Amino acid sequence: MHEHTVGKWRRRFLKDRIEGLLDEARPGRPRSIADDQVAAVIERTLRSKPDDATHWSIRSMAGETGFSHTTIRRIWTAFGLQPHRSETFKLSSDPLFVDKVRDIVGLYLSPPNRALVLSVDEKSQIQALDREQPVLPMMPGMPERRTHSYVRHGTTSLFAALDIASGFVIGKCYKRHRATEFLDFLKQIDAQVPRDLDVHIIMDNYATHKTALVRAWLARRPHYHVHFTPTSASWINQVERWFAELTRKQLRRGVHTSTSELEQDIRTFIERHNQNPKPYRWTKSADEILASVKRFCQTAERTLCGEL
């Protein structure tokens, strides 16, 4: 603090002792809303709904309480209330959830020596979409515009393996996503992986990954080690983050008149990504993840018990 601030409070203490440390009345208009009125607004926001909507808006709450919309905004902002927002969640019911989280996060944070850790998954049913009318390009003061309707030109499925250490991606498109295609993709991985390295594959519990044909192929290669993610926990598979990047940069606003054109764009995206690959940094330990899940479950339990 500045020396003048310290001197001011010392003088106030010498003059009025403990009472001098209390904050003095400030100039300006006094408060017109009491604490119990603020509490009533918060209670109504949390415990009730308007008759004609699923959640309150600032103006509907203002009309209900008689306060101005700026007052409601200040109250909601002060207490972190955002009725217009809603998030989804799904808790895994996997009985081995804890063990699988520790196993996979351990591979991310401390991969074994002389081993390759690959995050593997497929992005199925990628649609080759073309707009019914030409896309209007962006202009000064006007965003890019496109028709809401589109024409489908078939689908493709992308199998991808992300090297968590380097960010390098191995990918291949197939017309279908059966065990046959997945086995062929494993052979593509095997052809590009050095023979003297152990290979740890992280993938989900999709039935295509667990057929007898796939298990037999893996059993003949003892240097391959499979780690299954917990059910309903795709967020722990790092290749999903790369899929999100592919969707955002290439697929969401892309225009494709055929599946071959779509697949070519995907291959080009993979090639450009691999020219300067960057790994994703995993920041949370298994203990932190499990503690967060525990807190969420406790909060949900208290909320449900309060409603009951």
Side-chain angles (χ1 to χ4, degrees):
M1 294 184 182
H2 195 274
E3 60 181 7
H4 293 169
T5 302
V6 176
K8 179 188 72 174
W9 286 101
R10 292 182 66 182
R11 288 191 299 272
R12 287 181 58 172
F13 176 74
L14 289 175
K15 179 181 179 182
D16 300 320
R17 310 309 294 176
I18 295 297
E19 289 76 8
L21 300 181
L22 300 177
D23 201 7
E24 295 179 341
R26 297 177 180 273
R29 179 182 175 185
R31 288 181 56 189
S32 59
I33 302 176
D35 290 343
D36 57 344
Q37 293 175 303
V38 174
V41 171
I42 297 172
E43 180 72 16
R44 180 169 291 182
T45 304
L46 295 175
R47 304 298 181 187
S48 67
K49 296 180 180 179
D51 296 333
D52 60 345
T54 60
H55 59 278
W56 292 103
S57 67
I58 288 178
R59 296 189 181 276
S60 64
M61 179 59 73
E64 185 72 17
T65 59
F67 299 135
S68 67
H69 64 89
T70 55
T71 298
I72 300 298
R73 184 187 299 277
R74 284 198 299 269
I75 294 174
W76 283 2
T77 300
F79 289 89
L81 298 176
Q82 298 176 319
H84 66 284
R85 294 188 60 189
S86 177
E87 297 181 352
T88 59
F89 74 94
K90 183 175 179 61
L91 293 174
S92 174
S93 58
D94 195 324
L96 299 177
F97 176 79
V98 174
D99 295 335
K100 290 181 178 180
V101 168
R102 293 191 182 281
D103 178 35
I104 293 173
V105 174
L107 286 174
Y108 290 156
L109 297 180
S110 182
N113 294 327
R114 296 197 58 78
L116 185 67
V117 181
L118 298 176
S119 176
V120 176
D121 203 358
E122 63 267 336
K123 187 174 181 63
S124 60
Q125 301 296 312
I126 306 174
Q127 299 186 78
L129 301 178
D130 185 17
R131 300 293 163 174
E132 288 188 347
Q133 299 176 15
V135 176
L136 300 180
M138 178 180 61
M139 299 179 66
M142 182 183 301
E144 179 184 270
R145 293 187 292 180
R146 61 187 64 229
T147 61
H148 70 280
S149 54
Y150 47 82
V151 179
R152 295 185 178 92
H153 294 285
T155 61
T156 188
S157 295
L158 170 64
F159 288 77
L162 171 70
D163 178 10
I164 67 165
S166 66
F168 189 88
V169 172
I170 302 172
K172 188 175 181 181
C173 292
Y174 296 88
K175 298 300 181 184
R176 304 175 68 177
H177 58 288
R178 304 168 300 176
T180 304
E181 285 76 22
F182 181 65
L183 182 58
D184 181 76
F185 181 64
L186 288 178
K187 294 177 181 178
Q188 296 285 333
I189 295 175
D190 191 52
Q192 301 186 45
V193 171
R195 298 293 180 181
D196 59 337
L197 294 181
D198 282 349
V199 181
H200 294 262
I201 296 179
I202 300 170
M203 58 186 180
D204 59 26
N205 292 272
Y206 189 48
T208 301
H209 303 161
K210 303 167 70 174
T211 62
L213 195 65
V214 173
R215 292 201 303 268
W217 188 88
L218 291 170
R220 292 193 298 269
R221 292 160 178 80
H223 62 291
Y224 275 77
H225 310 274
V226 176
H227 307 262
F228 288 110
T229 62
T231 56
S232 305
S234 60
W235 47 266
I236 205 171
N237 202 342
Q238 279 200 12
V239 74
E240 295 288 349
R241 178 63 188 85
W242 184 82
F243 282 152
E245 192 171 343
L246 169 66
T247 301
R248 179 175 62 87
K249 292 184 176 181
Q250 185 65 47
L251 301 179
R252 182 171 294 143
R253 292 168 61 174
V255 176
H256 303 98
T257 58
S258 65
T259 54
S260 59
E261 184 180 339
L262 170 63
E263 291 175 354
Q264 179 58 46
D265 282 350
I266 293 175
R267 286 192 294 268
T268 301
F269 181 84
I270 294 174
E271 292 171 359
R272 290 178 178 173
H273 171 84
N274 289 336
Q275 290 175 1
N276 185 27
K278 294 181 180 179
Y280 299 110
R281 182 169 172 263
W282 193 269
T283 58
K284 280 196 174 184
S285 67
D287 289 337
E288 291 174 322
I289 293 172
L290 296 174
S292 177
V293 172
K294 181 180 179 181
R295 289 194 300 270
F296 179 83
C297 292
Q298 292 173 342
T299 302
E301 183 179 7
R302 288 194 298 268
T303 302
L304 292 175
C305 291
E307 292 179 355
L308 295 176

